[in-house]
Amino acid sequence: MIRKFIMPLMALMVCAATNVFAGVTPKAGDKAPDFKLQGNDGKMHKLSDFKGEYVVLYFYPADETSGCTTEACSFRDGISDITKAGAKVIGVSVQDVKSHQDFVKKYGLNFLLLADPKMKVVNEYGVYNPTWKVASRVTFIIAPDGKIAKVYPKVNPEGHAKEVLADLQAIKNRT
């Protein structure tokens, strides 16, 4: 009888603790948290460096995994249209710069990947998955004013770039 009540209570406590450590995912209209991370190009990059531009900031679990490769190649193949729509694409995972450099080289990725091995930014954006110690697959469109225009909390890697492009164009048409 006690087990019937204790187990759900313990599960609830674990979920609550996880949310505290993972942070709260910013929502549309919120100011996007600024950060400073090293890119696959070896340079340090801040989100504020892109002020005045649209940014597609996508978080992904790991280089060289099937879903992450599909998503990255989708952005690679759609980068021309996304750039024409006035946006930069930036990927973030908890892996190191070397891993990103290898991933970029192997798949000919034509956009910036940032390394967050200390998991600071994934926590600030509320996308850290403590079970697997990786970023969850979440994408943000950040407007030129630094506010979040759209959040994709559940991403299907296949075709995601086309979905982002359509929403980016719709967002720009509203302004």
Side-chain angles (χ1 to χ4, degrees):
M1 178 78 164
I2 291 175
R3 181 177 273 168
K4 186 176 180 181
F5 295 105
I6 297 289
M7 295 306 282
L9 182 60
M10 288 175 64
L12 185 62
M13 289 170 56
V14 167
C15 288
T18 298
N19 287 338
V20 168
F21 292 117
V24 176
T25 303
K27 56 190 180 308
D30 291 349
K31 182 155 178 46
D34 199 6
F35 55 77
K36 186 176 181 180
L37 293 173
Q38 189 174 15
N40 61 284
D41 59 1
K43 298 176 184 172
M44 296 303 289
H45 298 272
K46 297 185 291 187
L47 180 61
S48 56
D49 293 341
F50 300 95
K51 189 171 182 162
E53 300 178 81
Y54 281 93
V55 173
V56 176
L57 182 66
Y58 85 95
F59 292 89
Y60 65 99
D63 299 335
E64 301 289 340
T65 59
S66 63
C68 297
T69 300
T70 297
E71 185 176 20
C73 290
S74 169
F75 279 119
R76 176 199 65 203
D77 296 346
I79 197 73
S80 177
D81 291 330
I82 292 170
T83 301
K84 284 179 191 167
K88 302 280 188 198
V89 174
I90 302 172
V92 180
S93 82
V94 301
Q95 292 172 294
D96 63 22
V97 172
K98 174 73 171 113
S99 177
H100 287 346
Q101 289 170 336
D102 293 344
F103 190 44
V104 164
K105 185 176 181 181
K106 183 173 182 178
Y107 293 99
L109 303 180
N110 47 11
F111 53 88
L112 188 60
L113 295 182
L114 301 177
D116 186 19
K118 293 183 180 172
M119 298 169 252
K120 184 176 186 297
V121 176
V122 295
N123 275 297
E124 287 176 355
Y125 276 82
V127 301
Y128 180 62
N129 179 328
T131 303
W132 299 101
K133 294 183 173 55
V134 297
S136 296
R137 194 180 310 282
V138 179
T139 300
F140 299 86
I141 294 178
I142 301 170
D145 64 1
K147 291 186 179 176
I148 296 170
K150 176 134 180 121
V151 180
Y152 302 83
K154 294 185 179 176
V155 170
N156 177 355
E158 200 164 310
H160 183 51
K162 288 181 181 176
E163 175 185 30
V164 167
L165 176 61
D167 288 337
L168 180 63
Q169 290 169 330
I171 290 165
K172 289 185 74 176
N173 286 337
R174 285 193 302 246
T175 56

